[in-house]
Amino acid sequence: MPKIMIGPVPRANNVVALEVTIENKKVVDARCTGVFFRGFELILRGRDPRDAPYLTLRICGICSSVHGTAAALALEDAAGVRPPKNGNLLRNLIHAADTLQNHIRHFYLFSLPDYVKGPDLGPFRPAYTTGCRLPPKDNDALVQHYFQALEISRLCHELVVLLGGKVPHTHGLLGGGGTVPPAADIIMGFSARLRKINDFIQNVMVPDTYLLAEAYKDYYEIGKRAPALLSYGHFPRGENDRERHFPPGAMVDGRPEKLDASLIREHLRFSWYAGESGLHPARGRTEPDREKEGAYSWVKAPRYNGRAMEGGPLARLWIRGDYRRGISTMDRLVARTLETELIGKLMEEWLGELEPGKPVFTPFNVPREAEGAGLTEAMRGPLGHWLRIEKGRIAHYQIVTPTAWNFSPRDDVGRPGPVEEALLGTPVENEMEPVEVGRVVRAFDVCSTCSTHVIVPGGPAKEMIILP
Amino acid sequence: MKIEKPRHSMINRLLHWTYAPAVLAAIASGFYIHKPSPFWGFKSMDSARKTHFISTYILAFSYLARFYSALWDKNYRELLPSRRTLAALPGFVKYELFLTKKKPEFPKYNPGQKFLITSLAILLPLLGVTGLPLYAVDAWQKQPPAVTGGLNPPRKIHYLTGVATTALIAPHIYFSVTDSLAKLKSIFTGYK
Amino acid sequence: MKKQEAEENGAAEIRPPVIFLGTNTCAGDMFSLLNSLAPGYREMLTDLIDCRYNYLLMAAEGEMALNALEETVKQFSGRYILVVEGSVPTRSNGLYCVIGYKNGRAVTALQAVRELGPGARYVVALGTCAAFGGPYAAAPNPSGSVPVQAVLDRPVINVPGCPVHPDWIMGTLAHLVLYGEPELDDFNRPKLFYRETIHNLCQRRHYFDSGIFASKPGEPWCMYKIGCKGPVTHADCPNRQWSGEHLSWPVKANTPCIGCTSPEFPEGDMPFFEHLPDVKLPGIRTTADGVGKAAGIITFLSIGAHLAGAILTGRLAHTFKKGFSEKGAGKIKDSLRKLLRKSVS
Ligand code: HEM
Ligand code: SF4
């Protein structure tokens, strides 16, 4: 039984690694490995809670504004404040613009090279020589669109710059709201760019996706798994966050359920962490231990009511009721594109709701003792930040990323994570060029930078924090 | 009238009255720079910074002159603590804590003054070393060399040193006014 | 090698081979590079460099990717440019960051940087993590991350920023290709981009000078009082502005600069919304203002207590009585007269 190790797996926003076992040209076992560790939660401890949004942005270069959003929500939850209407809209717009950027880059820059022959130019060379099915005409068109997508995704990032000053790691997202008061010039610059982007999505990206789906129809049968889906919901509809444009929810055994965040547990048996397994993120306490026996990933195994849940555009659209064709590699790609289209349209609406001259930021004092949670949706699935403040400083910070859900290793009872499960049965034509494996994995939009973290070791902080 | 050696030489008195207002101006302007507020007596950052820079130039030169003068007239022997100072410390502390009524006699300066003067002699150059990289942000990037990297560490140390300096100068002024009027007079006239 | 020369020799194809190696990074610098407007990413690939390895965007994966890396080193020894993005974790022998697997064995970032560094024509540390350690090296530095320079025994050109501005890295690469090594400052940053402080270039400098300050994010004045690190940060953001199209920058977005190009970022300049970084003594962490306030209160109370003691014990009254006694007062009058006479004559 040949085992093949694929690492690095680029085009996954930083590298991850996979170990797959192949029998009779089919994957019979798969292990996902997160290959690096940074320890953000450990670093956050003892710091000023207001710094959490700016610091956690730096977890991930492609979805940074989502971490900023989650941190801002957690801080607001703890401090008991809400942003003003404009602030909420600004944050939604930044979050959404970054999502468009991510989805466009994911489809063209990350996914396409698995299906299309690139130009004869580094870093498109070297590449696998097998598996590209598209006729030359379509192939060339997609390569041209690859480069067009570079321009359009830059425009998406410019939307973030307009409202946040810079990108990635934008400044306009804070606990309390946004910082750039909407004015005619900014709204105009934003809407003109957005129109170009939406044009591209509707006239290029959507047709391209269906072109690919047509040529690779068999991928509706590959990467399948039962619907076990999770979404925390994102884009609060009003500043009070009673409803979200994409609602929270879960699909368990094919049945829709209301989201109950208290059912989340983190398992550690196969992850390089010491300490107690199976705790809720708000309580979790573990330490990195790279030499741990039997473990194989820096990613922990979060479970919802004991189940490995999949998150991302497909899960969100499924829960929202917009897409229910099936759960497979191609469905994941198609849903991502459809979500891109949907969000682009929503942004046009939000832009119209901004009120020039009204406040964008609610000032607040950081409480001395408080707890808060910020749940939202990153591009690739559910993202949660849990925060505890003691003596006015961060005493405990816990982040459970979407890649932890999707790319999780086995849990304490040995159940595989979603990607591991989806890989089972994937046909592999040529063991030397296992292009099929990459297609299945990348459709999840895994992001190892997202996943590299740790629960803060337990016990009270050793430092005494004195604040005036 | 008996010819006696003045308690403070003319030059040292002149220097004292050069750096005393300069230090006060540096403190007020420095704290304005730290946390701008009309409380410190400035209207704008521009005026505070100019005051800070002019006063610290004056301070720097008068410090050097005073340093030289202390060496030249062997005045440093009176200023710096010695083993005898340490021996006299308990008695001095007892007196200042009102545990004894008898005022102990000291050659010229009491242990408290010696400690204060020595501290200032160290703190002021430290202010200069940490102030210069903030003043000439490009030329002095890596100064002070002991601190690894960037301007934030010298900025923090400059502030903390400024706080320490202020915390020493306040009791200096208090004791000058309340300990002995004759000695207070001598810093103006030279004689007790 | 000068590009012009190369073209004259009929070798237009001589774009220097470049390796983009990712270590402990969020990939933000690569995404920022993708935002470059002119040249864009495409022109960079076709006109400026010969990209041999890109940890994020390359088509190849697994051993095919690592082989491409090895081949470049062999074929272009002494001629390739190594661009490292991310800090280098050293804990557990570097196992906290693995860049891939070779014959089933993990290749750590530490190993990769050490192997690729010596043979490179230039080594560029892309982003603050690679240049100075950055966020992941902040205390308590759980992965033992260090900057690229710390594991290489050769000069490294630092192009910091969290993330880097696309022009800073594109401009540095262009300089290397066209004119060789750019002039560097004390921290090995190209002076081209990091010569001046943000503060000296800031549009809101006149508000600073006039003492008009924002008291919360979102206000259009100087951000000094809410922690702006512009005065202690070297970069040209105010002039250049972000990103591909130069539209805005943090202060224009009504937020403070957080000093992301500085060697001490973020450990040495947090909290971001405070003027000065935290003061950390063994076992104690407090704000600089906390120290200032404590010192102020202690000084005030001590002097107050002493004054009270001096009044209650009658010591103060004694001092003044003695000072203003006949003899004493006479002496003052005497000496004042003397002084007057002197200054007149
Ligand atoms: C009695 C002596 C001094 C005191 C009490 C003092 C105090 C201060 C304080 C409290 C600050 C504000 C620091 C902050 O929070 O950023 C400051 C800033 C500064 N000080 Fe001093 N300082 C003194 C002497 C000096 C000296 C000798 C220099 C030498 C050049 C200097 C140069 C500076 C500079 C350049 C700044 C920053 C101004 C700015 O950023 O615009 N200071 N000082
Ligand atoms: S906003 Fe920042 S950089 Fe600009 S003048 Fe004020 S302190 Fe300086």
Side-chain angles (χ1 to χ4, degrees), chain A residues 7-8 11 13-14 35-38 40 47 50-51 58 61 105 122-123 128 154 157-158 165-166 168 171 179 193 393 442 449 463-464 466, chain C residues 24-27 31 35 37 51 56 58-59 61-62 92 96 98 101 136 139 162-163 245 249 253-256 267 271-272 274 278 283 285-286:
Chain A
R11 290 176 284 120
N13 188 33
N14 219 314
V35 291
F36 74 157
F37 164 87
R38 294 166 302 181
F40 246 96
R47 308 214 181 249
R50 290 172 300 167
D51 289 353
R58 290 171 161 78
R105 282 183 174 158
Y128 293 150
R154 176 176 54 74
H157 256 173
E158 277 168 15
K166 77 192 261 259
H171 273 224
T179 62
R193 287 180 176 83
R393 285 291 170 108
R442 290 201 182 89
T449 58
E463 267 179 345
M464 190 159 79
I466 307 167
Chain C
N24 238 356
T25 176
C26 71
F31 286 106
N35 287 339
L37 181 62
C51 182
L56 182 67
M58 68 196 301
E61 59 186 24
S92 289
Y96 281 63
V98 166
Y101 289 80
Y136 317 140
C162 190
E245 235 185 279
W249 70 289
N254 306 312
T255 59
E267 183 57 39
F272 296 135
E274 294 291 336
D278 276 352
R285 178 202 288 255
T286 182

Coordinates of all heavy atoms in Angstrom, one line a residue, chain A residues 7-8 11 13-14 35-38 40 47 50-51 58 61 105 122-123 128 154 157-158 165-166 168 171 179 193 393 442 449 463-464 466, chain C residues 24-27 31 35 37 51 56 58-59 61-62 92 96 98 101 136 139 162-163 245 249 253-256 267 271-272 274 278 283 285-286:
Chain A
G7 N 3.9 17.5 0.5 CA 4.3 18.6 1.3 C 5.5 19.3 0.7 O 6.4 18.5 0.4
P8 N 5.5 20.5 0.3 CA 4.4 21.5 0.6 C 3.2 21.3 -0.3 O 3.3 20.8 -1.3 CB 5.1 22.8 0.3 CG 6.1 22.5 -0.7 CD 6.6 21.1 -0.4
R11 N -0.6 27.1 -2.6 CA -1.9 27.6 -3.0 C -3.0 27.2 -2.0 O -4.1 26.8 -2.3 CB -2.3 27.1 -4.4 CG -1.4 27.7 -5.5 CD -1.7 27.2 -6.9 NE -1.0 25.9 -7.0 CZ -1.7 24.8 -7.3 NH1 -3.0 24.8 -7.5 NH2 -1.1 23.7 -7.5
N13 N -3.0 29.2 0.9 CA -2.6 30.3 1.7 C -1.6 29.8 2.7 O -1.9 29.5 3.9 CB -3.7 31.0 2.5 CG -3.1 32.2 3.2 OD1 -2.2 32.8 2.7 ND2 -3.6 32.5 4.3
N14 N -0.4 29.6 2.3 CA 0.7 29.0 3.0 C 0.6 27.5 3.0 O -0.4 26.9 2.6 CB 0.8 29.5 4.5 CG 2.2 29.7 4.9 OD1 3.0 28.8 4.6 ND2 2.5 30.8 5.5
V35 N 1.5 22.5 9.4 CA 3.0 22.3 9.6 C 3.6 23.4 10.3 O 4.8 23.4 10.5 CB 3.7 22.1 8.2 CG1 3.3 20.8 7.6 CG2 3.4 23.3 7.3
F36 N 2.9 24.4 10.8 CA 3.6 25.4 11.6 C 2.8 26.0 12.7 O 1.6 25.9 12.8 CB 4.4 26.4 10.8 CG 3.6 27.5 10.1 CD1 4.2 28.6 9.8 CD2 2.3 27.3 9.8 CE1 3.5 29.6 9.1 CE2 1.6 28.3 9.2 CZ 2.2 29.5 8.8
F37 N 3.5 26.5 13.7 CA 2.9 26.9 14.9 C 3.4 28.3 15.3 O 4.6 28.5 15.2 CB 3.3 25.9 16.0 CG 3.1 26.4 17.4 CD1 1.9 26.2 18.0 CD2 4.1 27.0 18.1 CE1 1.7 26.7 19.3 CE2 3.9 27.5 19.3 CZ 2.7 27.3 19.9
R38 N 2.6 29.1 15.8 CA 3.1 30.4 16.3 C 2.6 30.8 17.7 O 3.3 31.5 18.4 CB 2.6 31.5 15.3 CG 3.3 31.3 13.9 CD 2.6 32.2 12.9 NE 1.2 31.8 12.8 CZ 0.3 32.4 12.0 NH1 0.7 33.3 11.2 NH2 -0.9 32.1 12.0
F40 N -0.4 32.4 18.9 CA -1.0 33.7 19.0 C -1.6 34.0 20.4 O -1.5 35.0 21.0 CB -2.0 34.0 17.9 CG -1.6 35.1 17.0 CD1 -0.9 34.7 15.9 CD2 -1.7 36.4 17.4 CE1 -0.4 35.7 15.0 CE2 -1.2 37.4 16.5 CZ -0.6 37.0 15.3
R47 N -2.0 41.6 27.4 CA -2.0 42.8 26.6 C -3.3 43.6 26.7 O -4.3 43.1 27.3 CB -1.8 42.4 25.1 CG -0.6 41.6 25.0 CD 0.2 41.8 23.7 NE 1.3 40.9 23.6 CZ 2.5 41.3 23.7 NH1 2.9 42.5 23.9 NH2 3.5 40.4 23.6
R50 N -7.8 46.3 23.8 CA -8.1 47.1 22.6 C -7.1 46.7 21.4 O -7.3 47.1 20.3 CB -7.9 48.6 22.8 CG -9.0 49.2 23.7 CD -8.7 50.6 24.1 NE -7.4 50.7 24.9 CZ -6.7 51.8 25.1 NH1 -7.2 53.0 24.7 NH2 -5.6 51.8 25.8
D51 N -6.0 46.1 21.8 CA -5.0 45.7 20.8 C -5.4 44.4 20.1 O -4.8 44.1 19.0 CB -3.6 45.5 21.4 CG -3.0 46.8 21.9 OD1 -3.6 47.9 21.5 OD2 -2.0 46.8 22.5
R58 N -3.1 39.8 12.3 CA -1.8 39.3 11.8 C -1.7 37.8 11.8 O -0.6 37.3 11.6 CB -0.7 40.0 12.5 CG -0.7 41.5 12.1 CD 0.2 42.4 12.8 NE 0.4 43.6 12.1 CZ -0.4 44.6 11.9 NH1 -1.6 44.6 12.5 NH2 -0.1 45.7 11.2
G61 N -2.9 36.5 6.4 CA -2.7 37.5 5.4 C -3.9 37.6 4.4 O -4.1 38.7 3.8
R105 N -9.3 35.3 -5.6 CA -8.0 34.8 -5.6 C -8.0 33.3 -5.4 O -7.2 32.6 -6.0 CB -7.1 35.5 -4.5 CG -6.6 36.8 -5.0 CD -5.7 37.5 -4.0 NE -5.3 38.8 -4.6 CZ -4.8 39.8 -4.0 NH1 -4.7 39.8 -2.6 NH2 -4.4 40.9 -4.6
G122 N 7.9 30.7 -14.7 CA 7.8 30.4 -13.2 C 6.8 31.4 -12.6 O 6.7 32.5 -13.1
P123 N 6.1 31.1 -11.6 CA 6.0 29.8 -10.9 C 4.9 28.9 -11.4 O 4.5 28.1 -10.6 CB 5.7 30.3 -9.4 CG 4.9 31.5 -9.7 CD 5.2 32.1 -11.0
Y128 N 2.4 19.5 -12.7 CA 2.0 18.2 -13.2 C 1.7 18.3 -14.7 O 1.1 19.3 -15.2 CB 0.8 17.7 -12.4 CG 1.1 17.4 -11.0 CD1 0.1 17.6 -10.0 CD2 2.3 17.0 -10.5 CE1 0.3 17.3 -8.7 CE2 2.6 16.7 -9.2 CZ 1.6 16.9 -8.3 OH 1.8 16.7 -6.9
R154 N -7.0 43.0 -6.8 CA -6.4 44.2 -6.2 C -7.5 45.3 -6.0 O -7.4 46.0 -5.0 CB -5.3 44.7 -7.2 CG -4.7 46.0 -6.8 CD -3.6 46.5 -7.7 NE -3.9 46.5 -9.1 CZ -4.7 47.5 -9.6 NH1 -5.2 48.4 -8.9 NH2 -5.0 47.5 -10.9
H157 N -9.1 44.7 -2.8 CA -8.3 45.2 -1.7 C -8.3 46.7 -1.6 O -8.2 47.2 -0.5 CB -6.8 44.6 -1.8 CG -6.6 43.5 -0.9 ND1 -5.4 42.7 -0.9 CD2 -7.3 43.0 0.1 CE1 -5.5 41.8 0.0 NE2 -6.6 41.9 0.7
E158 N -8.4 47.3 -2.7 CA -8.5 48.8 -2.7 C -9.7 49.3 -2.0 O -9.7 50.3 -1.3 CB -8.3 49.4 -4.1 CG -6.9 49.5 -4.5 CD -6.7 49.8 -6.0 OE1 -7.6 50.2 -6.6 OE2 -5.5 49.6 -6.4
G165 N -7.5 52.2 5.4 CA -6.2 52.8 5.4 C -5.1 52.0 4.8 O -4.2 52.5 4.2
K166 N -5.2 50.7 5.0 CA -4.2 49.8 4.3 C -4.7 48.4 4.3 O -5.7 48.1 4.9 CB -2.8 49.9 5.1 CG -2.8 49.1 6.4 CD -1.6 49.4 7.2 CE -0.4 48.4 7.0 NZ -0.3 47.5 8.2
P168 N -3.0 44.1 3.4 CA -3.7 43.4 4.5 C -3.5 44.1 5.8 O -2.7 45.0 5.9 CB -3.1 42.0 4.5 CG -2.5 41.8 3.2 CD -2.0 43.2 2.7
H171 N -6.6 49.0 9.2 CA -6.8 49.7 10.4 C -8.2 50.1 10.8 O -8.5 50.6 11.8 CB -5.9 51.0 10.4 CG -4.5 50.7 10.9 ND1 -3.8 51.6 11.7 CD2 -3.6 49.7 10.6 CE1 -2.6 51.1 12.0 NE2 -2.5 50.0 11.3
T179 N -13.7 53.6 11.2 CA -13.0 54.9 11.5 C -13.1 55.9 10.4 O -12.6 57.0 10.5 CB -11.5 54.6 11.8 OG1 -10.9 54.0 10.7 CG2 -11.4 53.7 13.0
R193 N -15.5 51.1 -8.1 CA -14.7 49.9 -8.1 C -15.5 48.7 -8.0 O -15.3 47.7 -8.6 CB -13.6 50.0 -7.0 CG -12.5 51.0 -7.3 CD -11.5 51.0 -6.2 NE -10.4 51.9 -6.5 CZ -10.4 53.2 -6.4 NH1 -11.5 53.8 -5.9 NH2 -9.4 54.0 -6.7
R393 N -6.8 43.7 31.5 CA -6.0 43.1 30.5 C -6.5 41.8 30.1 O -7.3 41.2 30.7 CB -4.5 43.0 31.0 CG -3.8 44.4 31.1 CD -3.5 44.9 29.7 NE -3.1 46.3 29.7 CZ -1.8 46.6 29.4 NH1 -0.9 45.7 29.2 NH2 -1.5 47.9 29.4
R442 N -8.0 21.6 -2.0 CA -8.1 23.1 -2.2 C -9.5 23.6 -2.3 O -9.7 24.7 -2.0 CB -7.3 23.4 -3.4 CG -5.8 23.3 -3.2 CD -4.9 24.1 -4.2 NE -3.5 23.8 -3.8 CZ -2.8 22.8 -4.4 NH1 -3.4 22.0 -5.3 NH2 -1.6 22.6 -4.0
T449 N -2.2 29.1 7.8 CA -1.8 30.2 8.7 C -2.9 30.4 9.7 O -2.7 30.9 10.8 CB -1.5 31.5 7.9 OG1 -2.7 31.8 7.2 CG2 -0.4 31.4 6.9
E463 N 2.4 37.0 35.7 CA 2.7 38.5 35.8 C 1.7 39.2 36.6 O 0.5 38.8 36.6 CB 2.7 39.1 34.4 CG 4.0 39.1 33.8 CD 3.9 39.8 32.4 OE1 2.8 39.9 31.9 OE2 4.9 40.1 31.9
M464 N 2.1 40.1 37.4 CA 1.1 41.0 38.1 C 0.9 42.2 37.2 O 1.9 42.8 36.8 CB 1.7 41.4 39.4 CG 0.7 42.1 40.3 SD 1.1 42.0 42.0 CE 2.3 43.4 42.0
I466 N -0.5 45.9 36.7 CA -0.9 47.0 37.4 C -1.3 48.1 36.4 O -0.5 48.5 35.6 CB 0.2 47.6 38.3 CG1 0.8 46.4 39.2 CG2 -0.3 48.7 39.2 CD1 2.1 46.8 39.8
Chain C
N24 N 7.6 31.1 9.0 CA 6.4 31.4 9.8 C 5.8 32.7 9.4 O 6.2 33.8 9.9 CB 6.9 31.4 11.3 CG 6.2 30.4 12.1 OD1 5.3 29.7 11.7 ND2 6.6 30.3 13.4
T25 N 4.8 32.7 8.6 CA 4.3 33.9 8.0 C 2.8 33.8 7.9 O 2.3 32.7 7.7 CB 4.9 34.3 6.7 OG1 4.3 35.4 6.2 CG2 4.8 33.1 5.7
C26 N 2.1 34.9 7.8 CA 0.7 34.9 7.5 C 0.5 35.1 6.0 O -0.7 35.1 5.6 CB 0.0 36.1 8.2 SG 0.5 37.7 7.5
A27 N 1.5 35.1 5.2 CA 1.5 35.3 3.8 C 1.0 36.7 3.4 O 0.8 37.0 2.2 CB 0.6 34.2 3.1
F31 N 0.5 38.6 -0.4 CA -0.7 39.2 -0.9 C -0.6 40.7 -1.2 O -1.2 41.3 -2.1 CB -1.9 39.0 0.1 CG -2.3 37.6 0.1 CD1 -2.0 36.7 1.1 CD2 -3.0 37.1 -1.0 CE1 -2.4 35.4 1.0 CE2 -3.5 35.8 -1.1 CZ -3.1 34.9 -0.1
N35 N -0.8 43.0 -4.8 CA -1.5 44.3 -5.0 C -0.7 45.3 -5.8 O -1.2 46.4 -6.0 CB -1.9 44.9 -3.7 CG -3.0 44.1 -3.0 OD1 -3.8 43.4 -3.7 ND2 -3.2 44.2 -1.7
L37 N 0.7 47.7 -8.5 CA -0.1 48.1 -9.7 C 0.8 48.1 -10.9 O 0.5 47.5 -11.9 CB -0.6 49.5 -9.4 CG -1.4 50.2 -10.5 CD1 -2.6 49.4 -10.8 CD2 -1.8 51.6 -10.1
C51 N 10.9 33.8 -11.5 CA 10.5 33.2 -10.3 C 10.6 31.7 -10.3 O 9.9 31.0 -11.1 CB 9.0 33.6 -10.0 SG 8.5 33.0 -8.4
L56 N 3.7 30.2 -2.0 CA 2.3 30.4 -2.0 C 1.6 30.1 -3.3 O 0.5 29.5 -3.3 CB 2.0 31.8 -1.6 CG 0.5 32.2 -1.4 CD1 -0.1 31.4 -0.2 CD2 0.3 33.6 -1.2
M58 N 3.0 28.8 -6.4 CA 3.5 27.9 -7.5 C 2.6 26.8 -7.8 O 1.8 26.3 -7.0 CB 4.9 27.4 -7.0 CG 4.8 26.4 -5.9 SD 6.5 26.2 -5.2 CE 7.4 25.6 -6.6
A59 N 2.7 26.3 -9.0 CA 1.8 25.2 -9.5 C 2.3 23.9 -8.9 O 1.4 23.1 -8.5 CB 1.9 25.1 -11.0
E61 N 3.7 21.0 -6.4 CA 3.6 20.7 -5.0 C 4.4 19.6 -4.6 O 5.1 18.9 -5.4 CB 2.1 20.4 -4.6 CG 1.5 19.3 -5.4 CD 0.0 19.1 -5.2 OE1 -0.7 20.0 -4.8 OE2 -0.4 17.9 -5.3
G62 N 4.5 19.3 -3.3 CA 5.3 18.1 -2.8 C 6.7 18.1 -3.2 O 7.4 19.2 -3.3
S92 N 12.5 23.3 19.3 CA 12.5 21.9 18.9 C 13.3 21.8 17.6 O 12.7 21.1 16.6 CB 11.1 21.3 18.7 OG 10.5 21.2 20.0
Y96 N 8.9 23.7 14.6 CA 7.7 24.6 14.7 C 7.3 25.2 13.3 O 6.3 25.8 13.2 CB 7.8 25.6 15.8 CG 7.5 25.0 17.1 CD1 8.4 24.0 17.6 CD2 6.5 25.4 17.9 CE1 8.2 23.5 18.9 CE2 6.2 24.8 19.2 CZ 7.1 23.9 19.6 OH 6.8 23.3 20.8
V98 N 7.6 23.7 9.3 CA 8.1 22.8 8.3 C 7.7 23.3 6.9 O 6.6 23.6 6.7 CB 7.5 21.4 8.5 CG1 7.7 20.4 7.4 CG2 8.1 20.8 9.8
Y101 N 8.2 18.1 2.8 CA 8.7 16.8 3.2 C 9.5 16.2 2.0 O 9.1 16.2 0.9 CB 7.6 15.8 3.5 CG 6.9 16.2 4.8 CD1 5.9 17.2 4.9 CD2 7.2 15.5 6.0 CE1 5.4 17.5 6.1 CE2 6.6 15.8 7.2 CZ 5.7 16.8 7.2 OH 5.1 17.2 8.4
Y136 N 5.0 37.1 15.7 CA 5.1 35.8 16.3 C 6.3 35.7 17.3 O 6.4 34.7 18.0 CB 5.2 34.7 15.2 CG 4.3 35.0 14.1 CD1 4.7 34.8 12.8 CD2 3.0 35.5 14.3 CE1 3.8 35.0 11.7 CE2 2.2 35.7 13.3 CZ 2.5 35.5 12.0 OH 1.7 35.8 11.0
A139 N 6.7 38.5 23.0 CA 6.7 37.7 24.2 C 5.4 36.9 24.4 O 4.4 37.5 24.1 CB 6.9 38.6 25.4
C162 N 4.3 45.5 8.0 CA 3.4 44.4 8.4 C 2.0 44.7 7.9 O 1.2 45.3 8.6 CB 3.3 44.3 9.9 SG 2.5 42.8 10.5
P163 N 1.7 44.4 6.6 CA 2.6 43.8 5.7 C 3.5 44.8 5.0 O 3.3 46.0 5.2 CB 1.7 43.2 4.6 CG 0.6 44.1 4.6 CD 0.4 44.6 6.0
E245 N -3.0 51.2 -6.1 CA -3.3 52.6 -6.3 C -3.1 53.2 -4.9 O -3.5 52.7 -3.9 CB -4.8 52.7 -6.7 CG -4.9 53.5 -8.0 CD -6.3 53.7 -8.4 OE1 -7.0 52.8 -8.9 OE2 -6.8 54.8 -8.1
W249 N -3.8 55.7 3.9 CA -2.9 55.1 4.9 C -3.5 55.3 6.3 O -4.5 56.0 6.4 CB -1.5 55.7 4.8 CG -1.3 57.1 5.2 CD1 -1.8 58.3 4.6 CD2 -0.6 57.6 6.4 NE1 -1.4 59.4 5.3 CE2 -0.7 59.0 6.4 CE3 0.1 56.9 7.4 CZ2 -0.1 59.7 7.4 CZ3 0.7 57.7 8.4 CH2 0.6 59.1 8.4
A253 N -6.9 57.2 7.5 CA -8.1 56.4 7.9 C -8.5 56.7 9.4 O -9.3 56.0 10.0 CB -7.9 54.9 7.7
N254 N -7.9 57.8 9.9 CA -8.2 58.3 11.3 C -7.9 57.3 12.4 O -8.6 57.1 13.3 CB -9.7 58.7 11.4 CG -10.1 59.6 10.3 OD1 -9.4 60.6 10.1 ND2 -11.2 59.4 9.6
T255 N -6.8 56.6 12.2 CA -6.3 55.7 13.2 C -4.8 55.9 13.4 O -4.2 56.5 12.5 CB -6.5 54.2 12.8 OG1 -5.7 54.0 11.6 CG2 -7.9 53.8 12.6
P256 N -4.3 55.5 14.6 CA -2.8 55.8 14.8 C -2.0 54.9 14.0 O -2.3 53.7 13.7 CB -2.7 55.5 16.3 CG -3.8 54.6 16.6 CD -4.9 55.0 15.7
E267 N 6.3 43.9 20.0 CA 6.5 43.8 21.4 C 6.9 45.1 22.0 O 6.4 45.5 23.1 CB 7.7 42.8 21.6 CG 8.0 42.5 23.0 CD 6.8 41.9 23.8 OE1 6.0 41.2 23.2 OE2 6.6 42.3 24.9
P271 N 1.0 48.9 24.3 CA -0.3 48.9 23.6 C -0.3 49.9 22.4 O 0.3 51.0 22.5 CB -1.2 49.5 24.7 CG -0.5 49.3 26.0 CD 0.9 49.3 25.7
F272 N -1.1 49.5 21.4 CA -1.1 50.4 20.2 C -1.8 51.7 20.4 O -1.5 52.7 19.7 CB -1.9 49.6 19.1 CG -1.2 48.4 18.6 CD1 -1.9 47.2 18.4 CD2 0.2 48.4 18.3 CE1 -1.3 46.0 18.0 CE2 0.8 47.2 17.9 CZ 0.1 46.0 17.7
E274 N -1.7 53.5 23.2 CA -1.0 54.2 24.3 C 0.2 54.9 23.7 O 0.8 54.3 22.8 CB -0.6 53.3 25.4 CG -1.8 52.7 26.2 CD -2.6 53.7 27.0 OE1 -2.1 54.8 27.3 OE2 -3.8 53.5 27.2
D278 N 4.4 49.3 27.3 CA 4.3 48.8 28.7 C 5.7 48.8 29.3 O 6.7 48.6 28.6 CB 3.7 47.4 28.7 CG 2.2 47.4 28.6 OD1 1.6 48.5 28.8 OD2 1.6 46.3 28.5
G283 N 8.1 39.8 36.6 CA 6.9 39.5 37.3 C 5.8 40.6 37.3 O 4.8 40.5 37.9
R285 N 3.9 43.8 35.1 CA 3.7 44.6 33.8 C 2.8 45.8 34.2 O 1.8 45.6 34.8 CB 3.1 43.7 32.8 CG 2.8 44.4 31.5 CD 1.7 43.7 30.7 NE 2.1 42.4 30.2 CZ 2.4 42.2 28.9 NH1 2.3 43.2 28.0 NH2 2.8 41.1 28.4
T286 N 3.2 46.9 33.7 CA 2.3 48.1 34.0 C 2.6 49.1 32.8 O 3.4 48.8 32.0 CB 2.6 48.7 35.3 OG1 1.7 49.8 35.5 CG2 4.0 49.2 35.4

